[in-house]
Amino acid sequence: MSFARELARAIELARLAGTEVLRMQRGELQVEMKPGDEPVTVADRRASELIVAGLGASFPGDPIISEELAPAPGALGAPRCWLVDPIDGTKDFIRGEDGYSVMIGLARDGRPAVGVVYQPVIDRLFHATPDGAFVTYQGRTSPLAVSAVANVADIRLVASKSHRSADIDRVKDQLGIADELNIGSVGVKLCVIAAGLRELYVNPATKTKAWDTCAPEAILVRAGGRLSDLFGNPIDYTRELAHRRGLVASNGRVHDEVVAKLAPLFAHLA
């Protein structure tokens, strides 16, 4: 099945929302705190409104779940479901940095089929359907492919910028990793793995949600990578929004060995 129409609309809406949030980022920011002591801005809500309205008009039969809206009952179990994070990496957005993104994903039968991850500040667009994964940057569109690194000792890690915990030091020690890059957006972290710039992202926390991973997983998998929970199980987009057993994203080649070596560290989450 071709998803050309879905991808084109998702790209159009991501760029539209990105233009709006960039304008607001450079203007007057209005920041509030939502449950869990997490920041949310007027820009988050404005971007969500634009994307949800646009998807609803183009695909009226598809349920849409946005981080800024209460999900409709049964949306996750639908044959097709859009998952939207209007600003992934809100703290980077608030600080005036470029490590945030607008993310729009479509899950079909519980698996990510279409993914768009857009960084407004640098105008970098990652996108994928089952036909392939690509990045559009500086006027050029190029296919994405994960790195060929297969030795755990050679892994380049990408980790959180705002939520980095001591667990990441334990991960690095366990795997013998020295090279670490810090980025705000979960989506951008997965996309730099898809681009072959990094090999591994580990998130032991239980706070990430389906809208954090649907779009970038579509991109990462089509580029040859893999996303699972901390124990190697695939992410299920049909049951619950929260990823309660953490995340491991990789170039695929190191995935099984990484999971085996990290399992003892996080046995309490199994």
Side-chain angles (χ1 to χ4, degrees), residues 149 151-157 175-179 199-200 254 258:
V149 169
N151 188 338
V152 169
D154 297 327
I155 284 175
R156 296 168 295 176
L157 183 72
L175 299 176
I177 295 173
D179 191 331
E199 285 75 46
L200 182 67
V254 299
V258 164

Side-chain angles (χ1 to χ4, degrees), residues 62-242:
D62 294 348
I64 305 162
I65 298 175
S66 169
E67 182 177 11
E68 305 309 325
L69 296 173
L76 272 183
R80 287 170 41 119
C81 178
W82 293 90
L83 289 150
V84 176
D85 194 340
I87 300 180
D88 180 42
T90 299
K91 290 183 178 179
D92 277 39
F93 174 80
I94 292 168
R95 289 192 294 256
E97 298 173 356
D98 64 14
Y100 69 92
S101 67
V102 178
M103 305 205 301
I104 303 174
L106 174 65
R108 181 173 181 263
D109 297 328
R111 298 300 307 148
V114 175
V116 172
V117 175
Y118 179 55
Q119 290 179 268
V121 176
I122 61 174
D123 191 25
R124 182 165 65 170
L125 178 79
F126 298 94
H127 50 98
T129 70
D131 294 328
F134 302 87
V135 59
T136 301
Y137 184 52
Q138 296 180 341
R140 180 181 175 188
T141 298
S142 308
L144 291 168
V146 296
S147 78
V149 169
N151 188 338
V152 169
D154 297 327
I155 284 175
R156 296 168 295 176
L157 183 72
V158 58
S160 176
K161 191 168 190 175
S162 302
H163 300 280
R164 191 189 186 285
S165 70
D167 280 330
I168 300 304
D169 293 319
R170 296 168 64 210
V171 166
K172 291 173 69 175
D173 289 344
Q174 185 80 348
L175 299 176
I177 295 173
D179 191 331
E180 178 182 345
L181 172 69
N182 301 101
I183 295 174
S185 164
V186 172
V188 176
K189 287 194 274 283
L190 268 63
C191 286
V192 298
I193 297 174
L197 303 173
R198 296 275 128 180
E199 285 75 46
L200 182 67
Y201 164 59
V202 178
N203 185 345
T206 57
K207 291 184 176 180
T208 56
K209 304 291 196 300
W211 52 68
D212 291 310
T213 58
C214 181
E217 182 177 1
I219 296 163
L220 176 64
V221 169
R222 290 311 305 158
R226 184 175 163 194
L227 179 69
S228 74
D229 68 17
L230 288 167
F231 308 98
N233 303 299
I235 304 302
D236 187 346
Y237 291 91
T238 63
R239 287 202 227 166
E240 59 181 1
L241 288 172

Side-chain angles (χ1 to χ4, degrees), residues 48-71:
S48 179
E49 290 167 1
L50 284 171
I51 295 168
V52 170
L55 291 174
S58 296
F59 309 101
D62 294 348
I64 305 162
I65 298 175
S66 169
E67 182 177 11
E68 305 309 325
L69 296 173

